[in-house]
C-alpha cells in the first residue's frame, strides 16, 4: 500500500524519512522542492503536486503548518477536493483548532473519504529518533488502519475516540509543555542573574524531582545559548493561541497560558520567531533590561511581601 506524505518542514521531513527508511512505499510532495531531496535519496517517490500524491496513495498524511495550508493542499472549496479525498484516508497530523478539524472531517466523509486526526507530541529530535507520541481520533476502522503505519515514528500511540478529541488532547499536553519550558527559561534566567554556576544549576535540576525529558533536552540549550530550532517560537505562539481559543470557547480560565502567550508574542516581535522555543529567554531578558527598580508585584516592596 502506497502512503502519501505532504509537508516536509521541521517535523514533517524527519517523520517522512523515518517512514521511507523503514521500507514504507512513500510518495511525497512539498511546496519547497528542495525539502524533498533527502526523501528521494531515501527511496521515496517525489510527486509533481498534490494531485499526483492523491492519485497514487490510498492513505495521505498531512503534516502542514496551519488550516490555510491544509485547505490549499486539499483544494477545499473547489471541485478538486472531492476528486482528491474520495476513497482515500486523510490523516491530519498537524496542529489546528479542534473546530477546524471537526468541520474538515465532516467534509471529507461527505466527499467519500475517511479521516483520522493524528497529532503528535514531540519536537524535531524525537521525530528524528522515532520517539514521538501520537494521539489518534476518528472512525474506528480508519484509526485501526492508520495506527500501525505510525510505528516507525512513535514510541507510543493512543486512541482518543472521536475527532476532535485527539487535538483537544494535544492542546492539553501543549499547555503543560509551554508553561513548563517558559518556567524553565525563567528559572535559568533567575539563576544566571544571581551569578550561580550555570552547569551546577543544571546538575541540581537534573538530580531533583523536577527533572524530565523536556528539561534534559531544553536546559542544555539554555546553557549553550543554543537557539537552533527544535520547536520554533512562532509555532509555539500559534499553539498557545489555539489552546487559549479552545479555553475561551469552553469558558475556562488559562492564567499561566496567557502570561506565556504574551512572552512568546514578545519573542517573535523581537525577531526570534524562527528560533527554538527556549528563545523565550530573550523576551525575559529584555524585560529585565527594561524593568524599573522599585516595589514588587504585590504592591509593597519585595521585602514587605516575604
Amino acid at each position: 500500500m502506497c502512503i502519501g506524505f505532504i509537508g516536509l518542514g521541521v517535523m514533517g521531513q524527519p517523520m517522512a524519512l523515518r517512514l521511507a527508511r523503514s521500507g514504507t512505499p512513500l510518495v511525497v510532495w512539498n511546496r519547497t522542492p528542495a525539502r524533498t531531496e533527502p526523501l528521494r535519496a531515501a527511496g521515496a517517490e517525489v510527486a509533481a503536486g498534490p494531485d499526483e500524491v492523491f492519485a497514487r496513495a490510498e492513505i495521505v498524511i498531512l503534516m502542514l503548518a496551519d488550516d490555510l495550508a491544509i485547505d490549499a493542499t486539499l483544494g477545499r472549496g473547489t471541485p478538486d477536493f472531492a476528486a482528491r479525498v474520495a476513497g482515500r484516508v486523510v490523516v491530519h497530523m498537524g496542529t489546528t483548532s479542534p473546530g477546524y478539524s471537526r468541520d474538515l472531517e465532516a467534509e471529507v466523509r461527505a466527499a467519500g473519504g475517511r479521516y483520522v486526526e493524528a497529532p503528535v507530541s514531540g519536537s524535531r529530535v524525537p521525530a528524528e529518533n522515532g520517539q514521538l507520541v501520537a494521539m489518534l481520533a476518528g472512525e474506528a476502522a480508519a484509526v485501526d488502519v492508520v495506527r500501525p503505519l505510525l510505528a516507525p515514528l512513535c514510541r507510543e500511540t493512543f486512541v482518543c475516540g472521536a475527532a476532535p478529541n485527539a487535538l483537544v488532547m494535544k492542546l492539553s499536553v501543549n499547555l503543560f509543555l509551554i508553561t513548563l519550558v517558559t518556567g524553565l527559561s525563567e528559572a535559568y534566567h533567575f539563576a544566571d542573574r544571581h551569578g550561580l554556576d550555570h552547569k551546577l544549576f543544571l546538575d541540581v535540576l537534573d538530580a531533583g524531582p523536577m527533572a524530565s525529558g523536556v528539561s534534559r533536552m531544553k536546559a542544555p540549550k539554555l546553557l549553550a545559548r543554543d537557539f537552533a530550532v527544535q520547536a520554533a517560537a512562532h509555532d509555539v505562539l500559534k499553539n498557545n493561541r489555539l489552546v487559549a481559543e479552545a479555553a475561551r470557547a469552553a469558558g475556562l480560565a488559562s492564567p499561566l497560558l496567557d502570561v506565556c502567550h504574551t512572552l512568546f508574542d514578545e519573542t517573535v516581535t523581537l525577531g526570534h520567531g524562527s528560533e527554538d522555543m527556549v528563545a523565550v529567554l530573550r523576551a525575559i531578558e529584555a524585560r529585565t533590561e527594561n524593568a524599573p527598580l522599585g516595589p514588587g508585584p504585590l504592591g509593597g516592596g519585595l521585602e514587605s511581601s516575604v
Side-chain angles (χ1 to χ4, degrees):
M1 179 168 53
C2 185
I3 307 300
F5 200 109
I6 297 176
L8 303 174
V10 171
M11 292 288 289
Q13 188 186 71
M15 291 166 65
L17 282 169
R18 293 281 310 181
L19 289 173
R21 290 166 178 166
S22 74
T24 302
L26 206 62
V27 56
V28 304
W29 180 77
N30 191 69
R31 184 176 59 181
T32 306
R35 301 287 296 178
T36 65
E37 291 309 311
L39 274 297
R40 193 192 304 274
E45 298 290 331
V46 177
D51 278 333
E52 184 180 348
V53 176
F54 281 93
R56 296 176 57 183
E58 299 174 41
I59 298 174
V60 178
I61 295 171
L62 305 177
M63 190 60 182
L64 294 165
D66 53 33
D67 49 359
L68 295 177
I70 295 169
D71 288 350
T73 298
L74 294 176
R76 198 170 176 203
T78 75
D80 292 336
F81 178 77
R84 288 175 183 170
V85 307
R88 303 290 182 265
V89 180
V90 176
V91 184
H92 170 25
M93 295 196 74
T95 305
T96 61
S97 73
Y100 170 84
S101 183
R102 184 189 297 111
D103 293 343
L104 180 59
E105 179 190 37
E107 291 187 29
V108 168
R109 295 181 70 172
R114 294 189 290 171
Y115 179 85
V116 174
E117 281 181 353
V120 293
S121 182
S123 56
R124 179 178 57 82
V125 172
E128 291 173 343
N129 296 331
Q131 292 297 302
L132 298 171
V133 175
M135 294 144 276
L136 289 82
E139 179 191 353
V143 169
D144 288 344
V145 170
V146 170
R147 191 178 191 184
L149 298 176
L150 303 183
L153 312 179
C154 302
R155 59 183 174 85
E156 288 198 63
T157 58
F158 295 91
V159 178
C160 300
N165 281 357
L167 274 165
V168 175
M169 185 70 75
K170 171 68 186 293
L171 295 182
S172 302
V173 171
N174 276 2
L175 195 161
F176 181 44
L177 172 66
I178 292 166
T179 55
L180 181 67
V181 173
T182 305
L184 173 65
S185 300
E186 185 173 334
Y188 180 84
H189 177 66
F190 181 86
D192 172 47
R193 294 306 173 97
H194 276 85
L196 298 183
D197 181 283
H198 297 165
K199 180 63 167 58
L200 181 61
F201 168 70
L202 263 62
D203 288 344
V204 172
L205 174 66
D206 197 45
M210 288 78 69
S212 67
V214 171
S215 68
R216 290 178 177 130
M217 180 178 295
K218 297 302 187 183
K221 290 178 72 65
L222 291 166
L223 175 65
R225 295 190 70 85
D226 169 17
F227 301 112
V229 66
Q230 294 175 341
H234 58 69
D235 289 333
V236 174
L237 179 60
K238 181 200 82 169
N239 281 289
N240 197 312
R241 175 181 55 79
L242 290 173
V243 180
E245 289 173 353
R248 299 299 176 269
L252 304 177
S254 55
L256 292 179
L257 185 77
D258 296 344
V259 171
C260 294
H261 186 280
T262 301
L263 285 168
F264 275 98
D265 187 48
E266 291 171 11
T267 304
V268 172
T269 300
L270 288 167
H272 306 297
S274 61
E275 297 177 350
D276 189 71
M277 66 186 300
V278 295
V280 71
L281 175 69
R282 298 186 188 273
I284 297 168
E285 289 174 336
R287 285 197 180 197
T288 289
E289 301 307 324
N290 296 321
L293 298 176
L298 300 181
L302 285 176
E303 297 81 1
S304 66
S305 67
V306 175

